[in-house]
Amino acid sequence: MNELLFTDDLIKILLVLVLGTAALIITQRSLLSLFSIYSVQSVLLAMIALLLFSEEGFTSLLLIAALTIVSKVIIIPVFLKRLLAAMPIKRDLEFNYLTPIGSIILSAVLFFIVYQAFVGFSEALDVSRLFILGAVIGVSLTLMGMMVIMSRRKVITKIIGYLSMENGVLLFSLFIAEMPFIIEVLIVVDLLMIIILSAILAFGIDSSVEAFHKRLNQLGLDFEE
């Protein structure tokens, strides 16, 4: 019993840290720091999945934790850092519609609204308060990712917003929806394709055809000239 309570307390701490990483993503201007924060956020999600696995014993939770580590902690951040090394910009200083402080205030309001909505349905859903908290932070993380997409101008920053949104969906599924592992695999494959296509668009939007090919070759994406 005490061990279960300790595990629940650890999960609550990790959930708060996930929310903290989302706030940092909203306000951070350094692209390299954005990638690192996304990696940390993904590590926290993997740890939550492992703790839930220790409580419930579902193999799918263990597989999701492993997939998250491989794809979101290793492959995607490494690709983004390689992309950043070949790009002329290192920081995203411009914001649309919302300032960083305005985004944080709006995030707090959204979190409160989502929390109140889930508390109202908690009895009907017949789940514990820990699972309600996980679902609330999952939905809030998705909304904060949408805010990053809306409030940032650089394509590469919008990619982080989209990735953060997907992390929110994953977190929600861990506590409420019980997303099948194969669906998570398909989502990760889609993420990789979207990142590659977005990177190509980000590189080609302000260059000639020759410069575009040269930049892609710097990423290891060889094209015939």
Side-chain angles (χ1 to χ4, degrees):
M1 183 64 181
N2 289 334
E3 185 177 346
L4 286 177
L5 291 176
F6 179 71
T7 303
D8 286 352
D9 289 341
L10 280 180
I11 292 175
K12 289 175 183 175
I13 292 172
L14 293 175
L15 288 173
V16 172
L17 292 176
V18 168
L19 204 55
T21 58
L24 288 175
I25 287 176
I26 285 178
T27 57
Q28 185 56 243
R29 290 176 168 82
S30 166
L31 296 177
L32 186 60
S33 297
L34 274 174
F35 302 157
S36 299
I37 295 169
Y38 170 72
S39 297
V40 171
Q41 186 181 87
S42 300
V43 169
L44 294 173
L45 291 183
M47 292 173 67
I48 291 173
L50 287 174
L51 289 173
L52 291 174
F53 169 74
S54 70
E55 282 189 343
E56 303 175 11
F58 295 138
T59 307
S60 60
L61 292 170
L62 186 61
L63 294 175
I64 286 175
L67 180 65
T68 300
I69 292 293
V70 172
S71 62
K72 300 178 184 178
V73 179
I74 299 175
I75 295 178
I76 292 177
V78 167
F79 177 80
L80 289 175
K81 287 177 182 177
R82 188 174 177 180
L83 175 67
L84 181 63
M87 292 182 71
I89 60 169
K90 305 300 178 189
R91 293 166 64 85
D92 186 1
L93 303 176
E94 299 177 346
F95 289 81
N96 280 328
Y97 311 117
L98 289 170
T99 63
I101 295 177
S103 298
I104 292 295
I105 294 174
L106 182 57
S107 298
V109 172
L110 290 173
F111 177 83
F112 180 76
I113 292 173
V114 173
Y115 178 78
Q116 290 298 322
F118 271 89
V119 167
F121 290 107
S122 59
E123 293 184 1
L125 292 173
D126 193 26
V127 292
S128 68
R129 294 184 67 83
L130 174 63
F131 278 61
I132 291 295
L133 179 63
V136 169
I137 294 181
V139 174
S140 299
L141 185 58
T142 303
L143 295 175
M144 293 169 81
M146 291 176 63
M147 199 180 305
V148 172
I149 296 173
M150 179 186 70
S151 64
R152 296 300 188 97
R153 290 189 176 181
K154 303 297 183 187
V155 174
I156 195 166
T157 313
K158 292 180 183 293
I159 292 174
I160 294 297
Y162 184 82
L163 292 171
S164 187
M165 276 183 63
E166 197 281 329
N167 272 349
V169 174
L170 173 61
L171 184 59
F172 181 82
S173 71
L174 288 176
F175 286 93
I176 297 292
E178 297 182 6
M179 183 189 301
F181 177 68
I182 185 63
I183 300 297
E184 178 61 20
V185 172
L186 294 175
I187 289 176
V188 169
V189 172
D190 285 343
L191 276 181
L192 294 174
M193 293 298 103
I194 289 172
I195 290 171
I196 292 173
L197 292 175
S198 299
I200 292 173
L201 287 175
F203 265 66
I205 198 168
D206 63 343
S207 62
S208 64
V209 174
E210 292 77 11
F212 182 39
H213 285 179
K214 184 177 179 180
R215 291 178 176 180
L216 290 178
N217 289 334
Q218 290 177 336
L219 290 176
L221 300 175
D222 297 326
F223 283 75
E224 294 182 0
E225 299 185 2

